[in-house]
Amino acid sequence: MRESPSGPANLTAILSLIGLVVAGVWIWKRLAPATQDAIVEQGVPVAAGLAVMLFVAWRIRGAVRRRQWRARRRTELIQRFQMEPSPERRLELAFELIEVNEYARDGLEPVASALQELFATTLKKAVGDKQHRIRGMAASHLGVLQDPASVPLLLAALEDDHAYVRSCAALGLGRMRARAAKEKLKLMSTEDWDQTVRSRAREAVERIP
């Protein structure tokens, strides 16, 4: 199971906020009317400004914590991928690594060539209707790695019998901004029978200069 620090942190923040609201209401009801008026006129704007600053700081801290968690998790997965002897498990780790890295290539340099070879091999060998999800994931993840050598393979995947694979191949080509695929994708955006494939093809064309 993958763990993220955001869940416990969010719960703690919510409980703390509820506690502050309850305490603030309790204190407010016990203040004199003149004091309440002074607070409304002078204190509320200051408190609002502080609240905004605290909220921004909390969001920044959360973003930093998430980045740190992703970096640690990425390092762990890279090490496990490099040491894993099982092809099936290596593929599972490769998919998870791309997802943890938020579908970006930065940070994957130590294993980029190995991932490229694994996804390409998977796309070629995972034949048959029952393997369509694996083929599709391999196609879309190839696009993340930004290797021009993958373009012919993804173009071939646009002819796959399964719509899921074609849509993922279009997604991968869009991620690569592959100019060689632009005309083919334009055709698919209007001619393919599957709505998802047409949509993915249109999105890919929009990303290609």
Side-chain angles (χ1 to χ4, degrees):
M1 295 290 292
R2 282 174 280 176
E3 296 181 359
S4 171
S6 61
N10 288 340
L11 180 59
T12 301
I14 291 171
L15 293 176
S16 300
L17 181 60
I18 292 173
L20 287 172
V21 170
V22 172
V25 171
W26 185 87
I27 293 172
W28 179 262
K29 289 182 176 180
R30 284 155 180 77
L31 295 176
T35 304
Q36 290 179 347
D37 292 341
I39 290 174
V40 170
E41 293 175 1
Q42 302 176 13
V44 169
V46 175
L50 289 174
V52 171
M53 292 175 62
L54 288 173
F55 177 75
V56 171
W58 174 70
R59 292 296 298 269
I60 292 173
R61 179 175 177 271
V64 170
R65 284 170 59 87
R66 286 192 294 273
R67 281 200 300 269
Q68 292 173 340
W69 176 83
R70 283 196 300 269
R72 290 194 300 269
R73 183 61 176 161
R74 181 179 61 208
T75 299
E76 176 191 346
L77 288 170
I78 287 175
Q79 293 173 348
R80 290 172 60 188
F81 175 81
Q82 292 172 324
M83 298 175 62
E84 179 58 53
S86 167
E88 293 80 9
R89 183 56 184 152
R90 276 171 63 85
L91 185 60
E92 292 176 3
L93 290 169
F95 287 150
E96 185 178 355
L97 180 55
I98 295 291
E99 293 164 8
V100 166
N101 208 47
E102 296 190 336
Y103 298 90
R105 190 184 188 281
D106 292 344
L108 301 178
E109 291 80 5
V111 291
S113 60
L115 292 172
Q116 166 77 20
E117 181 180 355
L118 179 59
F119 292 148
T121 301
T122 300
L123 186 54
K124 294 175 183 177
K125 293 186 175 181
V127 297
D129 186 66
K130 293 183 179 179
Q131 300 267 27
H132 72 276
R133 289 208 168 272
I134 294 177
R135 290 201 308 280
M137 290 178 68
S140 66
H141 288 32
L142 272 173
V144 173
L145 299 174
Q146 302 292 315
D147 190 337
S150 301
V151 173
L153 190 57
L154 291 175
L155 282 170
L158 290 177
E159 304 292 339
D160 196 278
D161 292 337
H162 206 287
Y164 177 75
V165 180
R166 297 198 302 277
S167 67
C168 288
L171 175 61
L173 289 165
R175 284 171 169 163
M176 295 179 66
R177 294 172 171 80
R179 293 185 178 181
K182 191 169 186 177
E183 293 305 316
K184 175 64 175 176
L185 290 166
K186 282 183 179 179
L187 181 63
M188 293 185 68
S189 69
T190 58
E191 298 297 326
D192 197 280
W193 63 265
D194 185 84
Q195 180 180 356
T196 301
V197 176
R198 295 196 302 270
S199 177
R200 290 292 191 189
R202 283 194 296 270
E203 292 171 3
V205 169
E206 291 172 358
R207 298 179 70 175
I208 298 173

